[in-house]
Amino acid sequence: MQYKRSSALFAEASKYIPGGVNSPVRAFKAVGGTPIFVKEAKGAYLYDEDGNKLIDYIASWGPMILGHAFQPVVDAVVEKTKQGTSFGTPTEIETEIAKLAVSMVPNIDKIRFVNSGTEACMSAVRLARGFTGKEKIIKFSGCYHGHSDSFLIQAGSGAVTFGSPNSPGVTQGTAKDTLLADYNNLESVKALIEANKGEIATIILEPVPGNMGCIIPKKGFLEGLRALCDENGILLIFDEVMTGFRLAKGGAQEFLNIKADIVTFGKVIGGGLPVGAFAARDEIMNHLAPLGPVYQAGTLSGNPLAMAAGLTMLKYLDQNEIVFKSLEDKTSYLHDGLERVLSETDLTYTINRLGSMISVHFTDEVYDFKTSAKGNNETFKKFFHGMLNEGVYLPPSAFETWFLNDALTYEDLDDTIAAVEKVVGEL
Ligand code: HOZ
């Protein structure tokens, strides 16, 4: 495939935008080469500036669960735009989407909308601190909760992709309040709670991490965290930016049957527009300004275009729960195909999958950050570029998860499996 125009556009972008991108993973640094510039997308496909058609396994990193340019969402945004694009006042549609989200997700009474997953997680932690009157938080190595200061400590996703899971610019004062545990290791959490008795406000995690590749929670791990939180007056935050409205209507809480105290959202909830949200039961949410003392605000929060996209997406999912089953079936089919092909090779690999999140690691047994980091990146690079050459667009980092969308057909999946067979045959 030719990527001449994308390369030229990247060179031009690099003159004016740091690294040529507005989010680091997009720069292809982890896999080499230059990024694809996308011109348009429809359904399961991306069309790039060189005229290539690619089967997309990123889905804008999750939001496009029904495929790109899903017509009802496009129509809703176009219609809403005609009425004005931002008012900085309350609008009826905010209540409509809030009411629907609260009805879909377990254990929440109120929800507040923000503009990104980063903002949602940052606000959720502030709320947890304000509610409990405690300052320390526990996060897990390799989990990524956006780029706010408290989370850029052993962060996953782009941060670890570029080898700087701890970012310069985060003060020691902030870093000292973020304690690190190992995912799937309850003992590491117990030890932190013991050493910081009465000081921990919250444990925050991706219930199904997707930023060190996809990681599956071991039996009893999340249940154990819930119990530790209850025993120690700690709030459990589920960062459902990736899993929310994807694993099930009620996200990971429903899919895995575990109750969180605060839940954060992004991606699917905005239907592809910049939306994040955080939600909890009344007694916690009522601590937020203007009801309570914990401040949080935003000019574009609850933006009418974003709310129109999000509401249309959530309504569709609410009325068509079959989508979750369909996605699960498709991802399981892909999983089986990958397993069949990879098992015939000499490669060491692990395929992790839950619902419609899946990732291939070129190492054995991946269940936390350390085991994920053992993946053979040279093999991944060749695999990534081989797949791209076959017209399949995978996340350009071994630490990211593949997200399926329901516009993918079984023919697309067969083509993908055939591409994998060809590519691994040449590795
Ligand atoms: N690291 C982000 C996903 N986990 C990438 C977002 C983007 O580059 O758009």
Side-chain angles (χ1 to χ4, degrees):
M1 283 201 191
Q2 281 285 333
Y3 296 107
K4 269 168 111 166
R5 188 164 154 72
S6 274
S7 299
L9 288 171
F10 183 57
E12 185 67 3
S14 301
K15 291 185 200 160
Y16 306 104
I17 303 172
V21 290
N22 283 309
S23 187
V25 177
R26 299 177 195 177
F28 272 33
K29 284 227 157 144
V31 289
T34 52
I36 306 303
F37 274 56
V38 171
K39 189 170 187 179
E40 57 186 314
K42 182 74 189 162
Y45 314 115
L46 300 174
Y47 300 88
D48 73 13
E49 292 281 355
D50 288 276
N52 300 308
K53 176 183 175 185
L54 304 164
I55 305 177
D56 181 22
Y57 284 96
I58 300 189
S60 185
W61 304 95
M64 301 305 170
I65 192 166
L66 302 172
H68 292 278
F70 181 63
Q71 203 58 48
V73 171
V74 172
D75 292 344
V77 174
V78 168
E79 272 314 299
K80 204 72 183 163
T81 306
K82 294 178 189 163
Q83 299 173 332
T85 55
S86 177
F87 314 120
T89 69
T91 53
E92 187 177 359
I93 194 169
E94 293 164 77
T95 310
E96 263 186 90
I97 184 171
K99 196 170 167 183
L100 179 58
V102 165
S103 76
M104 290 170 81
V105 177
N107 311 313
I108 63 170
D109 297 317
K110 288 197 175 88
I111 183 164
R112 179 161 282 176
F113 288 92
V114 293
N115 302 289
S116 67
T118 292
E119 230 187 293
C121 292
M122 178 187 85
S123 307
V125 164
R126 185 183 307 143
L127 178 57
R129 284 175 163 149
F131 182 79
T132 59
K134 298 186 264 183
E135 296 199 349
K136 294 188 177 168
I137 67 172
I138 294 180
K139 81 172 278 288
F140 294 87
S141 296
C143 275
Y144 180 73
H145 307 290
H147 61 91
S148 91
D149 286 3
S150 308
F151 303 128
L152 283 181
I153 324 278
Q154 289 281 305
S157 184
V160 68
T161 298
F162 298 107
S164 54
N166 308 301
S167 174
V170 175
T171 64
Q172 291 197 355
T174 300
K176 78 170 179 19
D177 287 330
T178 300
L179 311 174
L180 278 176
D182 294 322
Y183 190 83
N184 270 329
N185 181 343
L186 266 185
E187 291 309 313
S188 72
V189 181
K190 280 185 198 158
L192 288 175
I193 294 176
E194 201 48 49
N196 296 272
K197 266 265 176 266
E199 291 185 86
I200 295 166
T202 181
I203 297 176
I204 182 169
L205 78 160
E206 302 172 72
V208 182
N211 285 294
M212 40 184 158
C214 180
I215 306 284
I216 317 294
K218 285 187 181 165
K219 207 168 170 336
F221 175 63
L222 296 174
E223 292 81 350
L225 288 182
R226 177 69 269 170
L228 284 173
C229 284
D230 290 343
E231 285 157 20
N232 293 280
I234 296 170
L235 295 184
L236 183 62
I237 301 179
F238 271 10
D239 172 348
E240 295 228 39
V241 168
M242 288 181 172
T243 51
F245 306 102
R246 171 169 281 277
L247 289 185
K249 206 157 107 165
Q253 283 195 97
E254 178 188 324
F255 195 79
L256 302 167
N257 193 24
I258 308 280
K259 183 178 164 208
D261 295 303
I262 305 181
V263 193
T264 64
F265 300 105
K267 306 195 189 276
V268 175
I269 199 169
L273 267 76
V275 179
F278 58 106
R281 54 187 187 270
D282 273 330
E283 64 167 325
I284 300 175
M285 289 308 272
N286 291 347
H287 264 63
L288 272 185
L291 284 181
V294 177
Y295 194 70
Q296 185 280 324
T299 296
L300 290 169
S301 295
N303 171 270
L305 308 191
M307 296 295 96
L311 178 62
T312 309
M313 177 65 90
L314 295 198
K315 264 189 188 162
Y316 187 91
L317 295 174
D318 191 41
Q319 290 160 13
N320 297 277
E321 240 181 293
I322 187 76
V323 167
F324 301 107
K325 166 88 174 76
S326 164
L327 272 168
E328 165 113 43
D329 289 348
K330 287 177 184 175
T331 317
S332 159
Y333 183 85
L334 178 67
H335 187 167
D336 290 348
L338 294 174
E339 185 62 50
R340 203 169 51 243
V341 169
L342 287 167
S343 64
E344 304 258 298
T345 69
D346 294 335
L347 293 165
T348 306
Y349 67 92
T350 302
I351 305 171
N352 279 348
R353 179 185 75 85
L354 208 65
S356 55
M357 297 165 66
I358 183 167
S359 58
V360 177
H361 304 255
F362 291 106
T363 180
D364 49 12
E365 233 210 329
V366 175
Y367 52 85
D368 64 3
F369 177 57
K370 281 191 202 111
T371 48
S372 171
K374 281 191 194 153
N376 185 330
N377 204 43
E378 287 313 305
T379 305
F380 180 80
K381 279 183 190 175
K382 288 185 204 148
F383 178 66
F384 170 82
H385 280 290
M387 292 299 286
L388 190 56
N389 211 33
E390 295 301 313
V392 180
Y393 191 63
L394 302 177
S397 160
F399 291 107
E400 302 284 358
T401 291
W402 314 6
F403 294 102
L404 269 69
N405 69 78
D406 204 38
L408 284 161
T409 62
Y410 280 90
E411 202 183 334
D412 293 327
L413 301 175
D414 284 336
D415 288 348
T416 304
I417 295 162
V420 171
E421 189 159 21
K422 180 162 181 230
V423 169
V424 296
E426 291 163 2
L427 283 180

